[in-house]
Amino acid sequence: MQMGVNKRPRRRRTLAELRRGEQAVLERLDLPEDTARRLMELGFLPGQMVAAAGSAPGGDPRVFRVDGSEVALRKETARHLQVRFSD
Amino acid sequence: MSACGHGSGPTRTAVAGRKTVAIVGPPNSGKSTLFNALTGLRQKIANFPGVTVEHRSGTARLSNGVEIEVVDLPGVYSLDPRSEDERITRDALRGDIPGVPKPEAILLILDATNLGRHLMLAAPVLATGVPTIVLLNMADDLRKRGGGVETEKLARQLDAPVALVSATRGEGLDTVRNFLAGQFAVPRPVELPVLQDVPRCREWSARVGARAGYQAPAPPLWTRRLDRLFLHPAAGPLIFLGVVILVFQTIFTGARPLMDGVESLIQLSGAWMGNRLPDAWWRALLLEGVWGGVGSVVVFLPQILLLFFFIGILEDSGYLARAALIADRTMARAGLQGKSFIPLLSAYACAVPAILATRTIESRRDRIATILIAPFMTCSARLPVYTLIIAAFLPERPLLGPILGTRAAALLGLYVLGFLAAVVTARLLKSSILKSDRTPFLLEMPPYRWPTPRSLGLRLLDRAKAFLRRAGTVILCVAIALWFLAHLPLKDGKAPSIQNSLAGMLGRTIEPVIRPLGFNWKIGVGLLTSLAAREVIVGTLGTLYGIEAAPEKAAEAVGFEKALQKDLSPAGAVALLIFFAFAMQCMSTLAVVRRETGGWKWPAIQFAYMSLLAYAGSFLAYRLVHGGF
C-alpha cells in the first residue's frame, strides 16, 4: 500500500463524510484492534469498496454497503475509517 | 480414514448415548430456521452452565429411526475467543463446556447469497478437525438473484461435504439427514489461512469461492426499495412511530379480551373446585393461595404471547434492525445504544420479557444498564394499583375537552415519570459505574424476509412454556408463603384475625419506617406482599378491608375506595403512587436479573437503588403535598 506524500489532501477522507449514494475505497481503520477486527469480519477490509446508503433521520447512524452486506455504523466510528475516492 | 476409529457402527449410536451435532454459523445465516426444521417441537432452551448465554438443543429423528442431539450455538463471525459468544462456541466445539458433550459433527450454515464473506468462518471451523458439512443456505434466493456455486468443487476445496439448502422451504434437508446418518470423516482442506489474520482469511475465502465458481447474486432489490421507504428522512420516523403505537395499543387493548377469558376460566375452575372439595384449611390454601396467587399471574399470558408475536414478526422480517437504527440517536442521548430500544418498549408490558430481550445487546455494560432501567418503565402490573388509587382520590374533570380527563392525565403522568426515571438512571449509570468502553454500534441490516408461521409459532410455544414454568415454581411458592403468613399463628386451632397474624405483625413492625410517607400498617402489609408482585397490594388491601374483590374490579367497589380514603390522606395517596412508580416490587424481575447477570450483585444494587429512590421520592411528595394542605 503506497501512501507517501499526499498532493491532494482533499481526496483523503473518512467514511463519515460519505453522503448517500457515494462510494469510496477503504484505506485504513484507525481503531483499537478488537473493534477493527470486528469491523473487518463484517467486511470493512482495506481495499474494499464501501458505499453509503440510507441512514437514521439526521444522517447518524448510516448504513454502509460493503462486501455483499449492509452494516450500520455511528458517525463516531465511521470517522475513524480512512477512505480514498476512486477516480 | 483415521477418522472412523471411533463412533462407527449403528449399534453404538442407536442404543448407547446419542450422537451430538452442533449448528454453527454467522448471525442471520438461518441457524435457527435450520434448527427448527431439523428438530421441530422436540427442543428445549437452556443456558450454558456457568454463563448466561442461551442455547437451544433438540432431537432430530432420522429416516432410519436414529435420534441425534442437535445443539444450536450462538451466531458468530469467527472463533476468536475475545467475545463471549465466540468463546462459548469455540469451547463448545472443543467439548470444554461441562454438561455439553463435544459434538461429533458440525453443521456449518452459511448464507449462500453472501458466501464471499461467510466462507471466512469455514476456516476456523474446519481447523477444529471436527467432521463438518457445509450448508449453503438461502439457495432459492441465490438462484432467484442470478448467483450460483458448484458444490462439488467447493467440497473438494474444503474436503467436506457441501450442500445448497433452503432451510425455510425444507430444500436440501435430506442431504443433511443423510450426512447425519452416515459416518463422519475429519476434513483435510486443500489449504487454510492464518486464522488470526482477517484480510488473509478473506483472501482465502475469495480464492476458494472463485475455484468453486461462486457467482455473487445481484443486490436484493426489494430490500433496497423497502429501505428507501423505511429509512426515508420523513416517512421513516412516521412509520416507526406508527409501528410503536400499533404494538402499544394492541398489547394493551387487544390482549384484554383474551386476558378476561383466561381470568374467567381461572375463576370458573376455582369455583368448580371450591364446590367439590371438603371445607378444610387446605381448600382455602388451594383456592386463595394457589388459584388466587398463581392465577392472577397466568392472566398475563395472552399479553406476553401477543408481545412476543409482535417482536417475532418485527425480528423475522428484518424491520427490527431498522427500528433500532432509527431509535439509536434517542438512545445515544441516554448513553445507550439503539438495541436497547426494543427491550425497553417491551418493558411496558412486563420487565421480565424485556430483560430476556436484552440478550441481543452484545456490550455487557450496555446490557446491564438496560436491565437496570427496564423496571422503571410502567409495566402492566402497576396498572391496577394506579387505577385504584387515582379513582379513589382524584375527581374526574375534563382537561382537554373530551380527549383527556384528569384521571387519564394522572395515569399518563405516571408513565412519563417512569420513563424519565429510566433515562436519568441510564445517564447516571453510563457516566459512572457502567461507563462504556465505547463499544461501537455495529448493526448488520439483514435483507427483508417474510416471517414464517412455523417460526412464529415455535417462538410463542417457547415463551408460553417458560412463562408457565415460572408461574408453577417461584410464583407458586411465594403465593403459598403469603397465605400462611396471613393465617398464622393459630389460636385454639383457628386462624387469628389479620391484625394478629404474622402478616399483621410484620405490618405493624415496619409502620414506624413508612409513617413519614403517610402510610399506616395496612398499607405496609400491602407494600410487603407487593414485593412479590406489584398488583398483589390491591388484593392484600382488599382482604384487609374485608372486601372480597378481584384486583381488576376493586377500583369500582365503592366500599374499597371509601376504606382507602380513610386509610390514606391525599398526600399519602400521591406518595403511594410515586412509591409504585419507582420501587422494585417484583420477585420474578429480580430472579430474572440474577439469572441474566449471573449473580446477586446487580439485582441487589438495583433493589437498593430503586427502593431508596421510591422512599425518597414518596417522602418528598408527601411533604410537598401535605405542606400545601
Side-chain angles (χ1 to χ4, degrees):
Chain A
M1 236 174 275
Q2 50 180 48
M3 288 182 201
V5 184
N6 211 318
K7 283 176 188 168
R8 287 181 293 177
R10 261 171 291 136
R11 298 198 73 77
R12 297 241 1 251
R13 296 209 254 164
T14 73
L15 207 55
E17 293 159 59
L18 247 62
R19 264 164 294 171
R20 187 182 193 141
E22 287 183 331
Q23 54 179 23
V25 177
L26 188 61
E27 288 224 303
R28 206 173 65 228
L29 294 87
D30 291 333
L31 284 161
E33 202 200 329
D34 276 15
T35 312
R37 192 189 160 90
R38 178 73 50 215
L39 277 164
M40 289 196 285
E41 283 168 2
L42 284 165
F44 291 93
L45 284 161
Q48 281 281 358
M49 183 72 82
V50 186
S55 71
D60 186 23
R62 185 173 286 287
V63 179
F64 295 98
R65 293 192 183 123
V66 61
D67 201 2
S69 335
E70 302 202 337
V71 183
L73 301 180
R74 277 185 185 168
K75 237 177 203 145
E76 63 190 30
T77 309
R79 196 176 294 137
H80 299 290
L81 303 191
Q82 306 287 341
V83 296
R84 169 173 44 87
F85 279 69
S86 54
D87 295 305
Chain B
M1 288 279 138
S2 59
C4 301
H6 66 91
S8 54
T11 46
R12 179 185 178 273
T13 51
V15 182
R18 288 181 193 147
K19 277 199 267 192
T20 301
V21 300
I23 301 181
V24 180
N28 292 314
S29 57
K31 282 180 326 100
S32 303
T33 320
L34 175 71
F35 178 75
N36 288 339
L38 286 176
T39 61
L41 296 176
R42 299 174 298 274
Q43 46 179 265
K44 55 180 193 287
I45 290 196
N47 274 343
F48 285 105
V51 282
T52 55
V53 172
E54 190 179 67
H55 83 284
R56 301 199 294 169
S57 65
T59 316
R61 203 165 288 148
L62 305 180
S63 52
N64 57 4
V66 173
E67 290 195 335
I68 290 210
E69 188 79 5
V70 185
V71 181
D72 191 10
L73 293 171
V76 291
Y77 292 107
S78 70
L79 295 185
D80 190 53
R82 268 171 285 194
S83 96
E84 192 177 17
D85 278 359
E86 296 177 359
R87 189 174 56 245
I88 282 161
T89 301
R90 193 195 59 162
D91 289 352
L93 293 182
R94 287 179 173 178
D96 284 349
I97 296 182
V100 183
K102 181 179 183 337
E104 277 152 272
I106 295 170
L107 307 179
L108 174 64
I109 183 162
L110 306 172
D111 182 352
T113 66
N114 198 354
L115 201 55
R117 197 161 67 74
H118 275 198
L119 204 53
M120 281 200 283
L121 181 59
V125 168
L126 292 172
T128 59
V130 180
T132 300
I133 183 170
V134 181
L135 303 172
L136 310 179
N137 194 21
M138 304 177 211
D140 49 337
D141 219 20
L142 179 73
R143 277 193 297 271
K144 220 182 293 166
R145 282 159 50 192
V149 62
E150 291 172 55
T151 48
E152 307 83 34
K153 285 188 182 169
L154 188 57
R156 266 201 301 280
Q157 289 291 318
L158 303 175
D159 190 34
V162 175
L164 275 164
V165 299
S166 169
T168 43
R169 294 167 174 235
E171 179 192 329
L173 293 185
D174 284 342
T175 321
V176 182
R177 294 202 183 91
N178 287 341
F179 168 79
L180 292 176
Q183 292 190 348
F184 301 143
V186 172
R188 308 237 181 276
V190 175
E191 56 155 338
L192 279 179
V194 181
L195 296 178
Q196 281 71 36
D197 191 336
V198 184
R200 288 274 171 77
C201 282
R202 183 64 186 87
E203 281 164 24
W204 171 82
S205 82
R207 205 158 48 235
V208 170
R211 283 180 196 152
Y214 178 62
Q215 280 288 322
L221 273 186
W222 268 107
T223 293
R224 298 207 168 167
R225 279 182 198 145
L226 285 172
D227 268 346
R228 239 169 272 154
L229 182 66
F230 290 145
L231 297 181
H232 187 274
L238 281 178
I239 293 171
F240 172 77
L241 205 68
V243 169
V244 171
I245 290 171
L246 180 82
V247 171
F248 237 86
Q249 274 297 324
T250 318
I251 287 172
F252 277 119
T253 55
R256 201 70 247 175
L258 283 168
M259 289 168 74
D260 290 344
V262 173
E263 199 175 3
S264 51
L265 217 84
I266 289 165
Q267 278 166 1
L268 280 176
S269 62
W272 185 86
M273 261 193 358
N275 290 334
R276 270 154 193 80
L277 293 174
D279 188 11
W281 67 269
W282 53 267
R283 187 186 78 151
L285 168 67
L286 204 64
L287 290 181
E288 296 166 20
V290 178
W291 244 248
V294 179
S296 73
V297 178
V298 174
V299 167
F300 291 98
L301 180 65
Q303 199 178 33
I304 288 186
L305 290 187
L306 203 62
L307 173 76
F308 276 101
F309 176 73
F310 277 114
I311 292 184
I313 288 183
L314 293 177
E315 201 175 328
D316 288 3
S317 67
Y319 183 75
L320 205 61
R322 278 77 184 178
L325 179 73
I326 292 173
D328 181 62
R329 270 170 76 94
T330 317
M331 290 290 142
R333 256 176 233 137
L336 294 165
Q337 47 163 290
K339 283 187 181 179
S340 304
F341 165 76
I342 292 298
L344 290 182
L345 178 69
S346 59
Y348 276 107
C350 177
V352 172
I355 287 161
L356 295 179
T358 60
R359 286 180 177 154
T360 54
I361 303 169
E362 289 109 356
S363 155
R364 188 171 159 79
R365 280 161 178 250
D366 280 358
R367 188 172 169 216
I368 287 178
T370 311
I371 287 175
L372 292 183
I373 64 171
F376 279 120
M377 310 306 264
T378 306
C379 68
S380 56
R382 285 182 174 106
L383 258 184
V385 186
Y386 286 174
T387 312
L388 173 72
I389 300 172
I390 290 173
F393 287 93
L394 194 65
E396 175 73 1
R397 277 193 219 106
L399 268 186
L400 279 175
I403 312 165
L404 194 66
T406 40
R407 288 178 175 174
L411 194 62
L412 195 65
L414 288 165
Y415 273 77
V416 174
L417 185 69
F419 178 75
L420 288 179
V423 170
V424 170
T425 304
R427 283 222 69 135
L428 280 176
L429 287 170
K430 294 303 292 179
S431 55
S432 59
I433 49 172
L434 287 177
K435 192 175 277 181
S436 209
D437 35 349
R438 268 301 193 224
T439 325
F441 172 75
L442 308 173
L443 187 62
E444 213 181 336
M445 297 280 137
Y448 291 102
R449 292 189 189 110
W450 284 108
T452 64
R454 188 189 166 85
S455 133
L456 287 175
L458 279 167
R459 225 179 242 272
L460 295 189
L461 196 76
D462 274 349
R463 288 307 157 196
K465 272 200 262 181
F467 180 79
L468 291 176
R469 196 165 39 235
R470 202 175 53 243
T473 51
V474 181
I475 295 169
L476 178 70
C477 293
V478 172
I480 291 175
L482 285 174
W483 189 88
F484 277 111
L485 278 182
H487 287 81
L488 290 175
L490 291 180
K491 254 188 189 164
D492 309 324
K494 278 190 176 177
S497 69
I498 192 87
Q499 202 161 347
N500 295 319
S501 72
L502 286 174
M505 285 190 261
L506 270 175
R508 280 180 295 165
T509 312
I510 66 159
E511 199 175 13
V513 182
I514 54 170
R515 198 173 288 136
L517 311 181
F519 308 154
N520 63 11
W521 74 266
K522 289 181 225 169
I523 304 285
V525 175
L527 290 182
L528 282 180
T529 57
S530 68
L531 283 176
R534 295 179 175 92
E535 65 273 35
V536 174
I537 191 177
V538 177
T540 306
L541 286 177
T543 315
L544 291 179
Y545 294 147
I547 293 166
E548 283 185 15
E552 270 76 19
K553 287 176 192 146
E556 281 124 50
V558 181
F560 196 128
E561 285 179 15
K562 285 246 167 74
L564 195 59
Q565 284 164 2
K566 270 182 207 156
D567 252 359
L568 268 176
S569 64
V574 174
L576 193 57
L577 286 173
I578 303 285
F579 193 91
F580 269 84
F582 292 155
M584 168 54 123
Q585 300 146 292
C586 185
M587 294 279 189
S588 348
T589 304
L590 284 172
V592 166
V593 173
R594 189 202 68 83
R595 208 186 69 191
E596 295 297 306
T597 58
W600 282 111
K601 178 182 147 197
W602 289 112
I605 290 174
Q606 185 175 32
F607 184 79
Y609 172 74
M610 291 182 75
S611 304
L612 205 72
L613 199 65
Y615 193 88
S618 42
F619 178 77
L620 274 175
Y622 182 67
R623 288 289 129 199
L624 280 172
V625 182
H626 198 66
F629 275 86

